[in-house]
Amino acid sequence: MSDLISIIIGTIFVSNYVLGQFLGICPALGVTSKVETARGMGFAVIFVITLASLVSWIIQYYLLEPLHIEYLQTVVFILVIASLVQSIESIMKKTMPSLYGALGVFLPLITTNCVVLGVALKVISNQYKLLETLVYAIAASVGFMIVMLMLAYLREKIVDNNTPEAFKGAPMTLIILGLMSISFMGFAGL
């Protein structure tokens, strides 16, 4: 049980994919202008990362390794992720059209979000068992969502501030991400 807790804390805070490993910067910059959009994207990413990691783990240990075709790992994982994202996109289009419209082009871009593939590859390289894979995937995606929500909240708050013209937009967002990254480094001793 303590192993699972250390996986959760380490993955969310110490080795956060956005702030510690610098994966997923594109959606962090693109979708965080509003908290509601970041929340929707965060939940979609949680679902995709968790499901993709579990399916990838099953494929790795029950198909690729027994057939000795581990070299197809990346291609197979990308296909799994792409099919999951297409399924989620179809479901969101029918059940949540406003969120689907708000996410726009960013929803299909989850397919190319390097965090999703990074988590799927990391659980295999760490040789996690199925439960550890599930916990790691959920923790990684929750950490991603926390950063997205924090960044969106801060971006909403600074819109009305008297920000110098040179810092408006992406430069200020990158500065905020840098400061958040420094603050998350404080968890490294846990």
Side-chain angles (χ1 to χ4, degrees), residues 3-16 139 187 190:
D3 290 340
L4 297 179
I5 292 172
S6 66
I7 287 173
I8 292 169
I9 291 173
T11 305
I12 292 175
F13 298 111
V14 179
S15 297
N16 185 287
F187 293 109
L190 292 177

Side-chain angles (χ1 to χ4, degrees), residues 15-130:
S15 297
N16 185 287
Y17 273 87
V18 178
L19 301 177
Q21 299 181 29
F22 305 111
L23 296 175
I25 299 292
C26 296
L29 293 175
V31 185
T32 57
S33 58
K34 294 185 178 183
V35 172
E36 185 174 326
T37 310
R39 185 182 311 117
M41 178 67 136
F43 282 121
V45 167
I46 287 173
F47 184 74
V48 170
I49 286 179
T50 304
L51 204 54
S53 296
L54 291 174
V55 171
S56 298
W57 186 90
I58 291 167
I59 289 173
Q60 175 72 23
Y61 290 111
Y62 290 102
L63 183 68
L64 298 179
E65 284 189 7
L67 296 175
H68 304 291
I69 54 173
E70 297 92 346
Y71 57 89
L72 292 175
Q73 180 186 62
T74 304
V75 174
V76 171
F77 289 4
I78 289 171
L79 290 173
V80 166
I81 293 165
S83 61
L84 288 172
V85 170
Q86 289 301 314
S87 301
I88 290 171
E89 186 176 10
S90 298
I91 292 168
M92 283 183 77
K93 192 174 189 177
K94 292 183 190 269
T95 60
M96 298 178 266
S98 61
L99 182 58
Y100 175 78
L103 290 175
V105 72
F106 296 107
L107 189 58
L109 288 178
I110 293 176
T111 305
T112 59
N113 187 346
C114 50
V115 173
V116 182
L117 182 60
V119 172
L121 292 172
K122 187 79 166 186
V123 297
I124 301 302
S125 70
N126 286 350
Q127 298 179 342
Y128 285 146
K129 294 182 177 27
L130 188 59

Side-chain angles (χ1 to χ4, degrees), residues 151-169:
L151 183 60
Y153 177 78
L154 291 171
R155 286 181 71 182
E156 278 186 358
K157 292 297 179 191
I158 65 168
V159 166
D160 298 328
N161 289 350
N162 190 12
T163 307
E165 195 64 36
F167 290 107
K168 288 187 178 179

